[in-house]
Amino acid sequence: VLQDAVTDAIALAFFEELAAVGYGRLSIEAVAKRAGSGKAAVYRRWPSKRVMAVDLITKAAVDTVGVPDTGSLRGDLHLFLTTTAEGFLHPLASRIIPDVLAAAVREPTLAEGLRHSIADVRRKHVTELLQRGMERGELPEDLHVGLALDFLIGPLYWRLMVDDYPPEPNYFDELTGMLLAAFRARPAGPRRP
Amino acid sequence: VLQDAVTDAIALAFFEELAAVGYGRLSIEAVAKRAGSGKAAVYRRWPSKRVMAVDLITKAAVDTVGVPDTGSLRGDLHLFLTTTAEGFLHPLASRIIPDVLAAAVREPTLAEGLRHSIADVRRKHVTELLQRGMERGELPEDLHVGLALDFLIGPLYWRLMVDDYPPEPNYFDELTGMLLAAFRARPAGPRRP
Amino acid sequence: VLQDAVTDAIALAFFEELAAVGYGRLSIEAVAKRAGSGKAAVYRRWPSKRVMAVDLITKAAVDTVGVPDTGSLRGDLHLFLTTTAEGFLHPLASRIIPDVLAAAVREPTLAEGLRHSIADVRRKHVTELLQRGMERGELPEDLHVGLALDFLIGPLYWRLMVDDYPPEPNYFDELTGMLLAAFRARPAGPRRP
Amino acid sequence: VLQDAVTDAIALAFFEELAAVGYGRLSIEAVAKRAGSGKAAVYRRWPSKRVMAVDLITKAAVDTVGVPDTGSLRGDLHLFLTTTAEGFLHPLASRIIPDVLAAAVREPTLAEGLRHSIADVRRKHVTELLQRGMERGELPEDLHVGLALDFLIGPLYWRLMVDDYPPEPNYFDELTGMLLAAFRARPAGPRRP
DNA sequence: TTCTAATCGAGACGGTACGTCCCGTCTTGCC
DNA sequence: GGCAAGACGGGACGTACCGTCTCGATTAGAA
């Protein structure tokens, strides 16, 4: 019977090591040393680094998806953005996320796992958020939802994770405002007269 | 006197290797083997993998920044987006970019190099693009330019590089439309009555 | 816990490699490959080629020192010479000995080890051999023992190892005879009247 | 036209390098650096380290063979021994000789060269020395000359080069005495009654 | 409580890849 | 055209780990 305390120590060590050296340079040996366990204890649980990564990352990811419902679209958006930003700025997460995304390019199994356990769930939740806005008349019925999903997360991700530029105090208010403007307008097309 | 042919072969091999295994697992030895040269030929040019990466990546990046000027804001946006997307979808680039961004988190030197040789240049060009739009009256004078920059690139990056979802034929038209809507609206602030 | 089988395999491989390429070109890597082990297995046992050589050579050398006692001086000499020659003509030893002696010139540690574990022991044994001859009246009391030691081994070494000239059938008889003549004569000095 | 100054500098550097690191580790590059020349200057003269070694060593060796003729056997022996010892104790030679002998084991070409240019010449000279002794009646007519040659050089070589034990002041007198005793006795055979 | 079987840490194993160093060949300018 | 200087492809060096496998010591759950 595998001991839970050891399993937890290894899982924690995995994420710390992932943040420290990245997926490419992460080795089972380093994880075991950081966890204070033997290498065999790790291999008894997962057959390879790849399987271990997919298992631990997807397992950890399901806990992070929030479902804001404040009663107003503006409130939902604002809460979603600040919550998401909080996740992005977490010391461990901010180092792990770009690395895992880069690893996913080369690891179809990992990409699939992330898509299923994170992307799809998030998409579903955010779609509901927008749906509620439509039902409340805060958004046009013909909003291009797929495009809106990219607008909800894209600028924020770019700002925090790619540009690595810390947000000013009223950043989220302004971001929310511009998103609302983008969503409320008539559907894209030739310029209105 | 270092031979240019060898330098070029090594540079090409570096990018191929970077796309193949990622920054973390990239080794000078593999680059040299791929270039058909000895390892010493590489070390004669760059003292370490880090320095080599910063030099080659930033050197290669300056060539990629375009400056669209079609006469209309919509045209400029559309061209910018399709051009940028083309870069993102390039077989080598699509594997390299996420990896380099992840590496930059752990390599301040690389991050700084990228910021100086790519991000700043891009920002300057896109700001001019928006400025022309304002001068033509296509955009409000009080547009939040900093936020607009994130909108211009963020959703596209998320869609192509993170979500890894290929664009439909009219994707760029719709994206342009939603961006125009976001930019033309009154500045963000408390909900209008 | 280091495994004896591996240690033995490495020791054998060391001597084979020493005979094949000599001390100067002997590399740990080649020894490991010949032993069918990894390099780490070697370095786990000895920190460097020099230490390894001193340890293995001196350890192996102590086994080779014989102590002839046949009852007569002539018999002892003859046995000592043939036994020694046998050692010199051993396929591995004949290639190793000159090489190790040459290496000892540049490696004081090795020279010291050889002196302590081989030369001193050999000197002690041969001195006893001569002592027994004196007690039996077969040698003059005032024999210059130090000089005699060089005579016992010097011509044989020169013939077999330097001149590399194979001994004829009665070579050892003649060599013994000339040695007895040298030892039995009056001590060196001005020519006798 | 190859410049003699460069050739001489390379030859000197070769022997210094040989004394410093031994034949096995001697490299053309190190010789060239020590000579202050380019590597090509060396390769323009000899095609390989082996050929260079054979050429330079045999060329240098012919100068070292002396021919003592003092009028008496004891004088000739004494002079031969002291002269030979002087050569053995030369700072460069004492490091080079054991190394070259060891290398000759693995380099038949070198061994052959040494035999032809040194050993045979020395043997011829020393044989003449003994012959003169026989003609003067100082040695028995049936002296085993081949064995005597080994006695003349063997104990000295062993003492100086193998045992590495510096000779006492009267060492050469005593050595001469014991050699004379060995040579003057009746030929080897069953013990005399 | 005693026995037994599995997990634990530790680390030796064969092996691979690293960056460094240096080999002998070949190229480049100076003289 | 010989020279020094040094870049070239190549390969061996000792180191550092890799993942596998082998140890006793420890620990849990069945007897």
Side-chain angles (χ1 to χ4, degrees), chain D residues 171-190:
Chain D
Y171 170 73
F172 294 100
D173 296 333
E174 295 170 338
L175 176 56
T176 305
M178 195 171 276
L179 283 174
L180 284 174
F183 296 164
R184 282 173 184 156
R186 305 286 331 132

Side-chain angles (χ1 to χ4, degrees), chain A residues 42 66 71 122:
Chain A
V42 180
R122 193 188 63 81

Side-chain angles (χ1 to χ4, degrees), chain C residues 4 21 36 43 70 78 81 84 86 96 104 111-112 124 126 155 157 161 165 172 175-177 181:
Chain C
D4 286 351
V21 305
Y43 283 104
T70 62
H78 200 278
L81 293 169
T84 303
E86 207 171 310
I96 288 176
E112 171 108 11
K124 178 162 158 291
V126 180
Y157 182 83
M161 306 303 273
Y165 196 69
F172 293 102
L175 176 55
T176 305

